[in-house]
Amino acid sequence: MKTNRRNFLKTLGAFTALTIIPRQVLGNGYIAPSDQLTKGIIGTGNMGRGHLKYAGTRLVAVCDVDKKHLELGKNLVTDKIAAYHDFRDLIMDKNVDIVHIATPPHWHGIMSVEAAKAGKDIWCEKPMTRTIGEGKRVMEAVKQYGNMFRLNTWFRFKDNFYGLGTPVQPLKKLVQSGMLGWPLKVTISKHTGFDWKFFWVGKEYLEPQPIPEELDYDMWLGPAPYKPYNSHRVHSTFRGYWDYDGGGLGDMGQHYIDPVQYLLGKDHTSPVKVEVDAPQQHPDAIGVWRSITYTYDDGCQIVLWGGDYGNPDTPYISGPKGNVYKNFVCDIPDWEKKLADYPEPEAQVTDFIESVKTRKTFALNEQNGFRSATIVNMGLVALRLNRTLHFDPVKLEFINDEAANCLVDQPMRSPWNI
């Protein structure tokens, strides 16, 4: 009798109630008869353990270079699951459909590219990557290998957008209606409901400490430059150091900026200028800043105010014809009635499991996620150099600034590369 895919699936049907068959067995775009996808998570610290449960998936593998974290990860479920020390072993595990990357950002680029090459779909924590160059390579790899990619910030399509008292969709509808005019300025500050986590700063003088027995510090560092171990460099406080993240801006930036990129219709471009007002930064430890201003080629601006800086009376969105304030207050007369006549924003795929099953691009993916990550990373480069920078959004490089471009593609410690 001739065997085809349909007969093969019927043969599997007898035992699929007890067995989860990974998508790779059935071919790209096919889901196991159980209709359940499998996932593995790399990094089982606080972030990894707190963002695991999403419907339609089953956890089958965890990975961490800290033995204590790995044990906590194994205990996330009652079933016996695979536990790995090396992320490459999890990525190559044929039982894993989705790789969830919850490591410090200096690993995001390498792990995303390797997962893409292995045919896995990818769920990555923010920021997407620590540098602009790494983000570009992730985009290229996902396109080449046909993966589904999700960046784990959701405010462009779900929940109230921090202190603004509204989801983003009504704001998007108001902006695209043209009622506010053009160009627009968006001001993100404590006064409009945003907290940059200014406690994510580094310590300028770290005494070397003994490496804990449970931690593979060399593997934790990976592509980052070698520096003597100190507990403040790793785990919950790593964000305060340039080698691994970008302080409060790196931690929270994509949460706040990605919806603005979407609101302004800038998902396929980047600002052409970034200006900073900040004290001189330490070469190792990240400090605070007062403001960062981005300007697009059409005059639109995004202004970030740090800490308590900024004017509490400044609108969240300001335009030539009207303004929007915190709690979704607009100063255009009868604006709600007028807005009702305009079309709704285009629908998005907002369920990543649906995206994986249907192979339809997720709402926040490797392309638009790269652009909002680039805004964050442009700001971090300007902070490190403490000067205004001009950027080419097509070539993805700074204009006439060699030092800035050295931070676009930063060297990795051997043997790691992307």
Side-chain angles (χ1 to χ4, degrees):
M1 181 175 116
K2 184 178 179 181
T3 300
N4 57 27
R5 181 178 295 275
R6 179 174 296 178
N7 291 330
F8 175 63
L9 292 176
K10 285 180 179 179
T11 303
L12 294 174
F15 58 85
T16 51
L18 299 175
T19 304
I20 303 301
I21 302 171
R23 177 171 50 80
Q24 285 81 357
V25 173
L26 302 178
N28 195 30
Y30 288 88
I31 305 302
S34 64
D35 203 37
Q36 189 176 49
L37 292 157
T38 59
K39 66 176 181 284
I41 182 163
I42 307 172
T44 52
N46 291 335
M47 183 64 70
R49 297 196 304 274
H51 290 76
L52 275 182
K53 296 181 180 179
Y54 38 103
T57 65
R58 178 189 179 199
L59 180 65
V60 297
V62 291
C63 176
D64 204 290
V65 296
D66 185 307
K67 293 178 182 177
K68 289 184 177 180
H69 284 188
L70 187 60
E71 195 62 32
L72 290 170
K74 289 167 61 177
N75 293 334
L76 288 170
V77 294
T78 56
D79 298 334
K80 184 178 179 180
I81 60 176
Y84 298 109
H85 173 84
D86 191 318
F87 74 91
R88 292 167 292 192
D89 293 328
L90 182 145
I91 285 173
M92 297 309 296
D93 187 331
K94 294 182 179 179
N95 292 311
V96 174
D97 291 322
I98 299 170
V99 173
H100 187 140
I101 300 170
T103 64
H106 69 290
W107 272 113
H108 288 185
I110 289 176
M111 291 179 177
S112 293
V113 169
E114 291 303 312
K117 288 162 64 176
K120 310 295 183 175
D121 294 316
I122 304 156
W123 183 311
C124 186
E125 296 296 329
K126 47 73 189 166
M128 179 173 156
T129 55
R130 194 183 65 89
T131 70
I132 296 170
E134 290 172 17
K136 181 174 180 288
R137 288 179 179 84
V138 171
M139 267 204 313
E140 293 167 346
V142 170
K143 179 180 180 181
Q144 179 180 352
Y145 296 102
N147 320 86
M148 293 294 104
F149 184 96
R150 169 181 177 157
L151 185 65
N152 198 26
T153 177
W154 52 90
F155 290 104
R156 72 161 54 205
F157 56 84
K158 178 184 176 183
D159 294 345
N160 277 356
F161 189 28
Y162 287 95
L164 292 181
T166 178
V168 167
Q169 294 301 310
L171 285 168
K172 173 69 172 175
K173 182 177 180 179
L174 179 59
V175 168
Q176 73 180 20
S177 74
M179 290 169 58
L180 298 174
W182 202 264
L184 300 178
K185 177 189 287 187
V186 180
T187 302
I188 302 174
S189 72
K190 174 182 178 180
H191 308 296
T192 50
F194 303 92
D195 173 11
W196 290 102
K197 291 190 177 178
F198 262 43
F199 53 82
W200 288 133
V201 296
K203 295 181 179 181
E204 295 185 5
Y205 303 101
L206 294 177
E207 293 291 332
Q209 297 174 343
I211 300 172
E213 182 179 350
E214 68 272 10
L215 176 66
D216 184 343
Y217 180 56
D218 186 71
M219 190 67 169
W220 187 93
L221 286 173
Y226 181 84
K227 289 175 182 171
Y229 172 83
N230 182 286
S231 61
H232 204 258
R233 284 194 178 281
V234 302
H235 296 339
S236 60
T237 47
F238 66 82
R239 296 191 188 277
Y241 300 91
W242 296 112
D243 289 342
Y244 325 120
D245 200 354
L249 178 57
D251 179 35
M252 299 301 290
Q254 260 191 292
H255 276 324
Y256 301 158
I257 293 172
D258 178 75
V260 177
Q261 180 93 337
Y262 169 63
L263 286 174
L264 296 177
K266 303 293 188 183
D267 274 338
H268 302 291
T269 190
S270 300
V272 296
K273 183 169 71 170
V274 54
E275 303 164 88
V276 295
D277 179 9
Q280 183 65 51
Q281 300 288 304
H282 187 268
D284 181 33
I286 300 168
V288 297
W289 43 273
R290 290 178 286 271
S291 70
I292 305 174
T293 301
Y294 302 91
T295 303
Y296 290 88
D297 61 0
D298 63 357
C300 283
Q301 287 190 319
I302 303 174
V303 181
L304 316 179
W305 285 100
D308 293 325
Y309 295 102
N311 184 341
D313 297 324
T314 299
Y316 175 65
I317 305 176
S318 56
K321 298 179 181 179
N323 304 288
V324 178
Y325 297 84
K326 188 177 176 180
N327 298 320
F328 201 24
V329 174
C330 182
D331 59 10
I332 298 175
D334 297 322
W335 68 276
E336 290 176 294
K337 183 178 180 180
K338 295 174 182 176
L339 187 61
D341 294 332
Y342 288 91
E344 297 295 325
E346 184 178 353
Q348 307 173 81
V349 178
T350 60
D351 181 336
F352 186 59
I353 305 311
E354 177 191 349
S355 176
V356 171
K357 290 179 178 180
T358 63
R359 314 313 290 172
K360 293 179 180 178
T361 303
F362 185 68
L364 182 51
N365 50 69
E366 76 285 353
Q367 297 180 47
N368 50 26
F370 165 70
R371 288 296 180 174
S372 54
T374 294
I375 299 178
V376 172
N377 286 320
M378 286 175 65
L380 293 174
V381 171
L383 281 174
R384 291 183 76 168
L385 299 176
N386 202 23
R387 60 173 177 260
T388 296
L389 300 173
H390 298 270
F391 189 72
D392 186 325
V394 177
K395 294 182 179 179
L396 298 173
E397 62 185 33
F398 294 98
I399 299 170
N400 298 325
D401 198 312
E402 183 178 352
N405 284 322
C406 285
L407 296 175
V408 169
D409 284 296
Q410 298 175 33
M412 293 184 173
R413 190 168 63 108
S414 180
W416 300 104
N417 63 74
I418 186 168

